[in-house]
Each structure stands twice: as C-alpha cells, then as structure tokens.
Amino acid sequence: MDEKATLHRYLSVARKELLAKLDGLNGYDIRRPMTPTGTNLLGLVKHVASVQLDYFGEVFGRPSGRELPWLADGAEPDADMWVTAEESLESVVELHHFSAAHSDATIDELPLDAPGVVPWWSEEKRNVTLHRILVHMVSETAQHLGHADILRELIDGLAGKGPEDPNLSRRSTEEWALYRARIEAAAREAGK
C-alpha cells in the first residue's frame, strides 16, 4: 500500500470510530460537557468535521461551498466545539459525512506533494503539502478520538471499541474496580 493510501485509511478509520462513540447515547449524553472546558462528544464530531473541510478544502483552493456560521468571522469563540439545542444529531452526522466525502475527493484527486496554504497558520509554517495536511488531520482526528474514548467511558463505561476490543483486558466490572483500586492505592502511596 502506498503512503497516501495508508494515511487515508488511518484517517477513515479514525473518522468512523469517532462517530461510533455516539452510538446508543441520548441527546443529553452526546452533548453533555464532561470537562471543565466543556468537552463533549457531539462537539468533537462537529469540530473534526468543520476543520477537515477547511484543511482539505480552503487550503487547496477547493472550497466546499458549505457555510459554517460557527467558524465565520465574529463567531463566538469555540462555537465549533459544542452543539446548540437547535442543532440536531442528524445534522452534525450529516456534516461529518459531507466533510469526509469532500476531503476524500481532495485526497483522491491530488498527489501527496500538492501545494497548499494554511492562512491561519504562522507565515513560516503556512505553505504545506497534501502529505503534511493528511498527517495533521490523522493526528487531529486521533487526538479527538482519544478525548471521545475517555468521555464515553465516563458517560456509560464503554471503553475502547467496546467489550470485544482486543486491546482491552478482559475483566468483569468487579475486576476493573479492584484494578482501579490498586492504581489508586499506588498513586496515594507515591503522593505521600
């Protein structure tokens, strides 16, 4: 597999896994701020979809034609990181699919060395290639997927890719509680 295909595959997998973090949750839990800075599951999906449109659209002179009011000049800071009561789950998921399709078209049509300009980056860093933006968006999406992993575990205990995830140890609820207690005890002992 060539490098572009590998990066594209990692991006595609991370996108799907991010969306899967919403599965089975109600409208409150997908919007609920779980950190002091307001991080929430549906906001992470909205953010990734939004920035992906700019990175694979505007940066390469391929605007999507989709207006995102939360990213417009004068918009409230961080408006792309949460979802109002008027915005539906379906509209955010549709935006994510639209963003992925638009981005995939850019990735498919341009070579890895295709030049682009990121106007919101500093002058010395703003000249980029598709390769650099692919790496950036794989990293960005994976970072937010990690946030979503933790949020989902805090909401309902679902960790990783679910109970069959081969990367998670097989433990019962009681075994996880004992494991966590051991870690807590070690932390307290080290903190003395």
Side-chain angles (χ1 to χ4, degrees), residues 9-30:
R9 183 172 53 84
Y10 273 88
L11 179 60
S12 297
V13 168
R15 288 176 186 151
K16 288 176 188 152
E17 289 179 2
L18 180 61
L19 281 178
K21 295 299 172 186
L22 305 174
D23 291 348
L25 294 177
N26 62 41
Y28 171 69
D29 283 336
I30 61 174

Side-chain angles (χ1 to χ4, degrees), residues 77-140:
D78 303 317
D80 65 320
M81 296 297 293
W82 65 285
V83 180
T84 67
E86 294 76 30
E87 292 174 274
S88 69
L89 164 65
E90 294 77 18
S91 70
V92 175
V93 170
E94 184 279 326
L95 172 65
H96 192 274
H97 289 308
F98 175 85
S99 172
H102 182 75
S103 299
D104 289 348
T106 296
I107 294 164
D108 290 343
E109 291 179 27
L110 298 179
L112 276 180
D113 61 353
V117 177
V118 184
W120 54 91
W121 285 7
S122 64
E123 187 71 39
E124 67 276 1
K125 294 181 181 177
R126 68 177 45 159
N127 292 308
V128 297
T129 62
L130 178 63
H131 183 264
R132 182 163 179 203
I133 294 303
L134 258 168
V135 170
H136 178 78
M137 281 309 302
V138 168
S139 174
E140 170 106 358

Side-chain angles (χ1 to χ4, degrees), residues 24-102:
L25 294 177
N26 62 41
Y28 171 69
D29 283 336
I30 61 174
R31 289 174 165 81
R32 178 164 49 138
M34 299 297 296
T35 68
T37 58
T39 306
N40 63 93
L41 288 172
L42 195 55
L44 289 171
V45 172
K46 179 180 174 181
H47 171 73
V48 168
S50 300
V51 299
Q52 181 173 240
L53 272 180
D54 275 348
Y55 278 113
F56 290 110
E58 300 297 326
V59 167
F60 295 100
R62 300 170 53 85
S64 69
R66 184 108 176 221
E67 294 298 319
L68 303 179
W70 49 86
L71 294 183
D73 289 341
E76 174 187 337
D78 303 317
D80 65 320
M81 296 297 293
W82 65 285
V83 180
T84 67
E86 294 76 30
E87 292 174 274
S88 69
L89 164 65
E90 294 77 18
S91 70
V92 175
V93 170
E94 184 279 326
L95 172 65
H96 192 274
H97 289 308
F98 175 85
S99 172
H102 182 75

